Amino acid sequence: MESVIKTAFPFIVYSVAILLAFQGVLMIVAYTVLGERKILGWIQGRIGPNRVGPWGVLQPFADLFKFILKEDIAPDKSTKVVFYMAPLVALTCALLPIVVYPFGPPIEDPIGWLVPYLPAIPFAGETNFVAWLAEQAKGMRLTIARLDVGVLYVLGITSVGVYGIALAGWSSNNKYSLMGGLRSSAQMISYELAMGASIIGVVMLAGSLDLHEIIWAQGHSTFKWYIVPQFVGFVVFLISAFAETNRVPFDLPEAETELVAGFHTEYSALKFALFFMAEYVNMFTVSVMVVTLFLGGWYIPGLTHIFEYGSIPYALVSHVGFLLKIFFFLFLYIWVRGTLPRFRFDQLMSFGWKFLLPVAIGNVIVTTIVVYFMNR
Amino acid sequence: MVTTVLFFLLAGLAISCAGLTVYYRNPLYSALSLIGVFISLSVLYLTLAAPFIAITQILVYAGAIMVLVIFVIMLLNLDEEKPLNRLRHLYAIGGGLGLAMLAQAFFIFYAVLKTPKHVVDTESNVGSTMSIGTHMYTEYLLPVEIVGVMLLMAIIGAVMLVRKDTNASIEAAAEKETND
């Protein structure tokens, strides 16, 4: 029994961590939707949703119940298996990157301070279970999995996410959906290149593909945040991020004046809600990537003068800083949506291939030369 | 124990997806099954402590090449039911190739059984990004460069094929170049 509990302990911890992280991200995403409707309302001189709960704070839940309770329609001539699979693929690929998010710095002794205040609970063969827990929790990392190839992992999973949209467009058996799906695959393939190329500069400066190593390297570099030496990369990444998430001004796949609603024209009820959630989780993921790669992630310059590195307040303040940076980029998404018109499709393609990609490659070459002479 | 179970699970998934790739008449289903093969292979690489190769598998094959394949299938809008009577002789070629593959697989099994077992060094960083990069750009630099040039040739070939220029204008451009 004792050994069973101790063997199962890591699995329990990881399950709780995964639950917390996914729940937290999904709650933030739900309120991003509300925030978007509010901010868009202000930009357009409206009030926005304010009926459900005070100031409309319960609106996301009302929306969710509406999505669940609506009729679930599948077109008669659609390819049913693929039609039902597409939203699942989209949401799964959107949620998987949460695993590598660097939520904060490691905490050296997260629950050690609790031990003297609690009575010794004998459990699982330990005379004091809390003390054992505190021992286990030492050096806790505020991330679920630390991958050697974190950056590539996020890029890879998001590139698989194209299937959700492409298959949705194909299986709906609707010309507008098909056009939306085709546009989105073309757009995402094109902008993925510029996105990957813009990251290479950061990876070369940090010398690692691990998200934590990149944050760590930013703290040790002279500029603190890579947005300074990699400003070109930052701009290219941000623009391609807008295109990757199919947001205004690159929301060609669902351009309503041309394509009704694009790839999700035939989707209703919960299946549509899954696409909707996937889009917003993707926005969150991209914001996390921008913040981690170019704005130091959870790292706030000068915070070590106030709190000791590895202490609980340091981790908390860093985590809040991390979230605030992400919220800024989520706000930027909404702000841009409220102010910019949509690109035309040929403009989008030539902008991606003839401007963004050469700029990103030029950035790579310049960074290579600079890094070479710096390391000599 | 866990890795053994995972191996048989993933290997089974990979083999069944590969079978389905051949089995389906609808090219889109075949393509989807092929993506299944790539994903299960990638997780297999992860269990073998090679995260870089695993992610590259997803990024390159599942994320880029198969997207293009599906893109083309969607554009072509193929008819679902086509008579399969034509090109009977291809069955013979396919069967022969299949037998050759099977023989190869059995040869690999035989070779693996013959080799003496040695303990895997779990502390080594063989599969890590750093070691792969270091080896690629020092020890195997020439093969990497050759592959790079070959890929560039393929790209240039594709660009040349889709050029809308007439023969006359290409000749004029070549003439101008030789004159310069």
Side-chain angles (χ1 to χ4, degrees):
Chain A
M1 188 60 202
E2 293 156 18
S3 61
V4 169
I5 288 173
K6 281 183 181 166
T7 322
F9 185 71
F11 292 100
I12 298 169
V13 170
Y14 275 112
S15 310
V16 172
I18 288 170
L19 203 68
L20 267 180
F22 277 60
Q23 199 58 44
V25 170
L26 285 179
M27 284 307 283
I28 291 175
V29 162
Y31 277 95
T32 311
V33 179
L34 177 67
E36 169 156 39
R37 294 176 65 178
K38 279 279 182 191
I39 294 167
L40 275 184
W42 293 332
I43 289 175
Q44 296 163 357
R46 297 182 282 116
I47 297 171
N50 63 350
R51 291 286 138 183
V52 193
W55 205 70
V57 284
L58 295 177
Q59 186 69 40
F61 299 99
D63 285 345
L64 179 68
F65 280 116
K66 188 188 79 179
F67 279 132
I68 292 173
L69 296 174
K70 284 232 168 177
E71 189 188 353
D72 193 38
I73 305 165
D76 205 22
K77 285 192 174 173
S78 62
T79 317
K80 291 285 183 318
V81 183
V82 184
F83 187 72
Y84 279 88
M85 200 174 73
L88 298 180
V89 171
L91 188 64
T92 312
C93 293
L95 288 177
L96 276 175
I98 296 178
V99 170
V100 292
Y101 287 177
F103 285 105
I107 310 176
E108 261 156 36
D109 195 4
I111 43 179
W113 56 277
L114 256 177
V115 176
Y117 301 105
L118 288 175
I121 308 162
F123 183 66
E126 295 288 329
T127 47
N128 190 346
F129 188 66
V130 180
W132 183 76
L133 268 185
E135 193 61 39
Q136 296 294 311
K138 273 188 180 160
M140 187 170 84
R141 295 168 291 128
L142 290 184
T143 179
I144 297 170
R146 190 174 162 174
L147 283 188
D148 185 30
V149 285
V151 177
L152 286 183
Y153 173 81
V154 176
L155 281 184
I157 299 292
T158 41
S159 70
V160 175
V162 187
Y163 290 119
I165 292 172
L167 292 179
W170 180 81
S171 65
S172 298
N173 197 30
N174 174 326
K175 59 186 170 192
Y176 299 119
S177 300
L178 184 65
M179 282 309 294
L182 283 176
R183 275 187 180 187
S184 115
S185 349
Q187 174 178 335
M188 285 168 105
I189 294 168
S190 311
Y191 280 78
E192 231 160 52
L193 285 173
M195 197 178 193
S198 66
I199 290 177
I200 294 175
V202 169
V203 172
M204 274 193 295
L205 284 180
S208 175
L209 286 168
D210 182 352
L211 293 171
H212 294 266
E213 289 281 331
I214 289 174
I215 295 173
W216 191 245
Q218 289 183 61
H220 285 276
S221 77
T222 38
F223 297 108
K224 296 302 174 197
W225 287 354
Y226 280 157
I227 186 174
V228 182
Q230 282 293 315
F231 189 73
V232 178
F234 169 74
V235 173
V236 172
F237 185 88
L238 200 63
I239 295 174
S240 19
F242 275 79
E244 277 285 300
T245 44
N246 296 327
R247 293 283 299 187
V248 178
F250 303 109
D251 63 337
L252 275 302
E254 43 191 293
E256 69 268 23
T257 44
E258 306 157 27
L259 295 176
V260 189
F263 64 91
H264 58 66
T265 305
E266 298 287 357
Y267 281 87
S268 60
L270 202 57
K271 294 203 294 294
F272 170 73
L274 295 184
F275 275 123
F276 197 63
M277 263 158 74
E279 182 182 326
Y280 281 86
V281 177
N282 275 332
M283 270 165 66
F284 191 86
T285 301
V286 164
S287 305
V288 168
M289 289 298 282
V290 176
V291 166
T292 309
L293 295 174
F294 296 100
L295 289 174
W298 43 259
Y299 174 72
I300 301 169
L303 195 63
T304 38
H305 297 302
I306 306 168
F307 300 114
E308 196 189 338
Y309 176 79
S311 64
I312 298 172
Y314 182 85
L316 275 181
V317 174
S318 302
H319 179 62
V320 172
F322 177 66
L323 288 182
L324 284 179
K325 289 175 198 172
I326 291 170
F327 291 158
F328 170 74
F329 281 102
L330 290 177
F331 171 71
L332 189 71
Y333 264 103
I334 298 162
W335 192 12
V336 167
R337 181 176 172 186
T339 42
L340 286 185
R342 185 179 296 129
F343 270 62
R344 218 172 52 220
F345 193 66
D346 59 318
Q347 289 172 335
L348 170 99
M349 278 298 166
S350 56
F351 181 69
W353 286 100
K354 293 179 186 166
F355 179 73
L356 272 190
L357 189 61
V359 167
I361 290 174
N363 180 43
V364 169
I365 293 169
V366 172
T367 315
T368 315
I369 295 167
V370 171
V371 168
Y372 176 74
F373 280 109
M374 261 166 47
N375 290 352
R376 274 225 307 188
Chain B
M1 172 57 196
V2 178
T3 44
T4 319
V5 174
L6 262 181
F7 171 77
F8 280 107
L9 210 68
L10 292 166
L13 198 65
I15 291 173
S16 43
C17 281
L20 288 178
T21 309
V22 186
Y23 170 77
Y24 280 127
R25 294 273 170 82
N26 189 332
L28 193 87
Y29 287 170
S30 294
L32 289 181
S33 318
L34 198 56
I35 297 165
V37 176
F38 290 140
I39 289 174
S40 27
L41 274 186
S42 141
V43 184
L44 263 182
Y45 291 142
L46 267 189
T47 61
L48 295 171
F52 183 75
I53 298 180
I55 300 298
T56 315
Q57 176 90 11
I58 295 271
L59 198 68
V60 174
Y61 286 98
I65 293 177
M66 288 315 288
V67 172
L68 285 177
V69 168
I70 286 196
F71 195 71
V72 170
I73 293 172
M74 280 164 64
L75 272 179
L76 288 181
N77 204 9
L78 296 162
D79 300 330
E80 282 199 11
E81 292 301 321
K82 260 191 179 169
L84 286 162
N85 294 334
R86 290 181 300 153
L87 304 174
R88 272 278 161 96
H89 61 281
L90 280 184
Y91 282 90
I93 298 174
L97 281 177
L99 275 179
M101 289 283 279
L102 209 62
Q104 203 178 4
F106 277 113
F107 175 74
I108 291 170
F109 277 134
Y110 177 74
V112 168
L113 283 178
K114 275 284 184 183
T115 48
K117 286 186 181 169
H118 49 92
V119 183
V120 178
D121 182 13
T122 47
E123 290 298 309
S124 80
N125 58 351
V126 169
S128 77
T129 318
M130 185 61 99
S131 73
I132 289 176
T134 318
H135 285 291
M136 253 172 74
Y137 289 103
T138 53
E139 208 175 328
Y140 301 105
L141 184 60
L142 188 65
V144 169
E145 280 176 345
I146 291 172
V147 169
V149 171
M150 279 170 70
L151 285 175
L152 188 67
M153 275 158 60
I155 294 171
I156 292 172
V159 171
M160 283 308 290
L161 282 177
V162 296
R163 265 173 79 110
K164 283 200 181 113
D165 288 359
T166 53
N167 275 336
S169 71
I170 293 173
E171 273 163 20
E175 210 163 86
K176 189 168 172 285
E177 234 163 46
T178 44
N179 288 344
D180 282 346

